[in-house]
């Protein structure tokens, strides 16, 4: 038996170490590959969930973007129209009776048939006819075409949301009303069109007339107040804490409280706004100024933290070089440090404003859950907001409001995308400039 030489022993040991290194390297590469696949799967899962959410919202809300209108020839009976006050005339009843007469359908003594026919028309028909008579009194005694939206239930039937296969006692349209709708559609008395009322009207108790314009204007006014208050205060506070404040116990307490405020539930800010701005300062309830103040308080901690992080990311050499050239502390911060940190500051502003735009709980506590039919024109008038309008419509009993809820969500997402896109464009301009 031959003993192994020292060279052979060293060679075997080196070979063993090499094999272990290769095995370890292989395990590390396998872990890295698994981590990459886990990241890809996480991104894919997030994209799938996002796609499912968007598809579900669009599927539920796309029908709200078109509506059905009925156009009927109506004889403006002088015996039933008050020239002095046309708004008091029952034009829906008049149109219903005449349409039944044209079809040769006799009404009973109780007027049930005309009442059912009238239920297919929106009350907007009355205002359309009254406005026509007020502008052109000579139409009284003539037959004129009247175009008005269908009622919400009739509109849902034509959109396929109400089925004639459903038992009559389980739907809000009778068999006779459905037959009349089919006949009017066959005679081309009913047509579909883009629902401009969704974007030009304020809120309404009637779904076919409800729109988001008042809520969009209210949200825009609130965000304007929020931005004018939160951005200067938040950026100023961050600059003072990061660049000028002495490092002592007081500033440590301030920093801890700012971090804690960023995690406070939004409903607490609503309670604060109710107690401070409405009950104590007596500012107008449900107004953009109160909503903007509450959202500004909620956005400040996030904005301060993001701005401080952006200031910290600026290399210390920038400050040292400016100070070495004779610049003052204020000149250094505002002429060199802040411009370089501006992209990060803009990112913080985007995040905080987007967060404020989607908040609902604080707005409900300061009265923005109330029904506000008009469009606001000042920051001290009662308004609605898109998040609160979505909440109101989703809790409404009428089924037609549910499709408008999804449509309002789509409008809110588009509003947020436009706002974020504008902020991103501004941020990139700062990046290119500096």
């Amino acid at each position: 038996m031959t003993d192994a030489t020292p060279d052979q022993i060293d060679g075997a040991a080196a070979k063993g170490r090499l094999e272990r290194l290769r095995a370890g390297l292989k395990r590390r590469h396998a872990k890295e590959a698994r981590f990459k696949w886990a990241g890809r799967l996480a991104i894919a899962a997030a994209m799938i969930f996002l796609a499912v959410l968007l598809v579900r919202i669009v599927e539920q809300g796309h029908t709200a973007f078109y509506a059905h209108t009925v156009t009927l020839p109506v004889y403006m009976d002088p015996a039933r129209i008050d020239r002095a006050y046309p708004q008091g005339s029952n034009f829906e009843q008049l149109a219903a009776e005449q349409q039944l007469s044209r079809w040769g359908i006799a009404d009973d003594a109780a007027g049930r048939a005309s009442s059912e026919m009238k239920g297919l028309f929106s009350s907007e028909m009355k205002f359309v006819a009254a406005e026509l008579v007020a502008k052109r009194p000579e139409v009284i005694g003539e037959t004129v075409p009247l175009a008005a939206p269908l009622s919400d239930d009739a509109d849902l039937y034509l959109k396929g949301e109400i089925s004639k296969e459903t038992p009559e006692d389980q739907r809000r349209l009778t068999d006779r009303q459905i037959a009349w709708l089919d006949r009017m559609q066959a005679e081309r008395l009913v047509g579909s069109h883009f629902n401009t009322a969704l974007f030009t009207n304020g809120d309404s108790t009637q779904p076919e007339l409800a729109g988001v314009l008042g809520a969009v204007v209210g949200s825009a006014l609130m965000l304007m107040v929020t931005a004018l208050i939160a951005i200067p205060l938040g950026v100023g506070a961050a600059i003072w804490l990061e660049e000028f404040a002495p490092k002592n116990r007081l500033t440590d307490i301030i920093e801890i409280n700012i971090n804690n405020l960023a995690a406070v539930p939004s409903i607490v800010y609503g309670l604060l706004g109710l107690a401070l701005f409405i009950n104590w300062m007596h500012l107008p309830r449900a107004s953009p100024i109160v909503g903007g103040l509450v959202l500004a308080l909620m956005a400040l901690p996030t904005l301060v933290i993001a701005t401080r992080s952006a200031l910290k990311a600026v290399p210390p050499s920038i400050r040292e070089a400016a100070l070495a050239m004779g610049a003052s502390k204020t000149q250094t911060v505002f002429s060199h440090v802040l411009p370089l940190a501006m992209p990060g500051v803009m990112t913080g502003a985007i995040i905080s404003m987007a967060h404020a735009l989607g908040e609902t709980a604080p707005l409900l506590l300061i009265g923005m859950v109330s029904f506000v039919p008009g469009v606001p024109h000042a920051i001290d008038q009662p308004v609605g907001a898109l998040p609160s309008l979505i909440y109101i419509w989703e809790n409404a009993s009428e089924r037609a409001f549910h499709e408008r809820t999804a449509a309002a969500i789509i409008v809110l997402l588009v509003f947020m995308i436009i706002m974020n896109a504008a902020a991103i464009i501004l941020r990139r301009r700062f990046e290119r400039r500096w």
Side-chain angles (χ1 to χ4, degrees):
M1 182 174 179
T2 305
D3 294 335
T5 63
D7 291 339
Q8 290 174 331
I9 293 173
D10 291 342
K15 185 177 181 180
R17 286 195 300 271
L18 182 60
E19 291 296 330
R20 288 193 297 273
L21 288 174
R22 286 175 177 172
L25 184 62
K26 186 177 181 180
R27 287 194 298 271
R28 290 197 296 273
H29 287 169
K31 287 182 180 179
E32 182 179 358
R34 288 195 296 270
F35 180 78
K36 288 181 179 179
W37 276 108
R40 294 190 186 105
L41 289 175
I43 294 174
M47 295 299 293
I48 289 172
F49 286 130
L50 179 61
V52 169
L53 174 64
L54 293 177
V55 168
R56 183 69 186 98
I57 292 174
V58 173
E59 180 184 9
Q60 184 178 349
H62 77 280
T63 54
F65 291 97
Y66 69 94
H68 291 88
T69 299
V70 60
T71 304
L72 298 176
V74 179
Y75 172 66
M76 296 296 183
D77 191 351
R80 301 178 62 176
I81 298 176
D82 185 357
R83 292 176 179 268
Y85 185 64
Q87 293 84 356
S89 305
N90 195 342
F91 291 102
E92 305 108 293
Q93 185 72 22
L94 192 64
E97 292 174 358
Q98 293 181 16
Q99 184 61 32
L100 291 175
S101 177
R102 277 189 291 271
W103 284 345
I105 300 175
D107 201 358
D108 56 15
R112 293 187 181 90
S114 58
S115 295
E116 287 188 27
M117 175 63 76
K118 178 182 174 183
L120 299 177
F121 309 145
S122 170
S123 63
E124 182 71 7
M125 178 176 284
K126 174 177 67 177
F127 299 104
V128 171
E131 184 179 2
L132 176 64
V133 171
K135 289 182 177 179
R136 296 171 52 201
E138 65 272 12
V139 300
I140 297 178
E142 299 179 0
T143 299
V144 296
L146 280 184
L150 287 174
S151 67
D152 56 332
D153 293 321
D155 187 57
L156 287 177
Y157 168 72
L158 295 178
K159 291 176 179 177
E161 299 294 329
I162 295 178
S163 173
K164 63 175 67 175
E165 305 300 328
T166 305
E168 187 176 13
D169 59 349
Q170 296 180 18
R171 47 179 157 81
R172 298 180 61 177
L173 291 177
T174 65
D175 291 337
R176 187 160 59 170
Q177 286 178 313
I178 288 178
W180 290 342
L181 279 172
D182 290 338
R183 186 171 178 178
M184 283 191 290
Q185 193 172 30
E187 294 177 1
R188 297 187 177 181
L189 298 175
V190 174
S192 62
H193 59 88
F194 181 73
N195 188 11
T196 56
L198 183 66
F199 301 97
T200 58
N201 290 358
D203 196 8
S204 173
T205 56
Q206 301 180 48
E208 69 272 14
L209 303 179
V212 300
L213 180 60
V216 169
V217 174
S219 291
L221 290 175
M222 276 196 307
L223 282 180
M224 180 184 70
V225 174
T226 301
L228 290 176
I229 295 174
I231 293 178
L233 288 179
V235 174
I239 291 174
W240 183 80
L241 285 172
E242 190 62 33
E243 302 292 339
F244 296 99
K247 303 302 179 183
N248 53 32
R249 188 175 183 83
L250 177 61
T251 55
D252 290 340
I253 293 174
I254 293 173
E255 292 177 7
I256 291 172
N257 281 288
I258 289 174
N259 293 329
N260 289 336
L261 286 173
V264 170
S266 59
I267 196 169
V268 176
Y269 289 100
L271 292 170
L272 175 63
L274 177 64
L276 179 61
F277 301 126
I278 296 178
N279 294 339
W280 185 60
M281 298 178 65
H282 302 291
L283 293 177
R285 188 180 182 89
S287 61
I289 188 170
V290 174
L293 286 168
V294 171
L295 295 180
L297 291 178
M298 190 184 66
L300 273 173
T302 303
L303 190 55
V304 170
I305 293 171
T307 302
R308 291 193 66 190
S309 298
L311 293 172
K312 287 179 181 178
V314 177
S317 58
I318 299 294
R319 299 173 178 83
E320 294 168 358
L323 293 173
M325 294 297 294
S328 66
K329 183 71 172 179
T330 302
Q331 289 175 322
T332 300
V333 171
F334 287 96
S335 298
H336 301 279
V337 178
L338 185 59
L340 292 175
M342 191 56 70
V345 174
M346 293 297 298
T347 300
I350 293 171
I351 294 172
S352 58
M353 291 300 104
H355 184 200
L357 177 62
E359 279 297 334
T360 306
L363 305 182
L364 300 182
L365 289 174
I366 61 173
M368 288 190 174
V369 72
S370 304
F371 173 70
V372 182
V375 178
H377 301 287
I379 62 173
D380 59 348
Q381 295 180 353
V383 299
L386 279 171
S388 58
L389 183 68
I390 292 170
Y391 175 82
I392 294 170
W393 282 0
E394 182 59 29
N395 288 303
S397 58
E398 290 86 350
R399 184 176 175 182
F401 273 122
H402 295 170
E403 66 170 4
R404 279 161 174 75
T405 300
I409 293 173
I410 295 173
V411 173
L412 176 61
L413 292 176
V414 172
F415 190 5
M416 188 176 296
I417 289 170
I418 292 173
M419 185 187 73
N420 288 347
I424 289 171
I425 291 171
L426 290 174
R427 185 183 68 184
R428 288 182 176 176
R429 285 187 177 180
F430 276 106
E431 290 176 347
R432 288 196 297 267
R433 182 178 178 181
W434 298 99

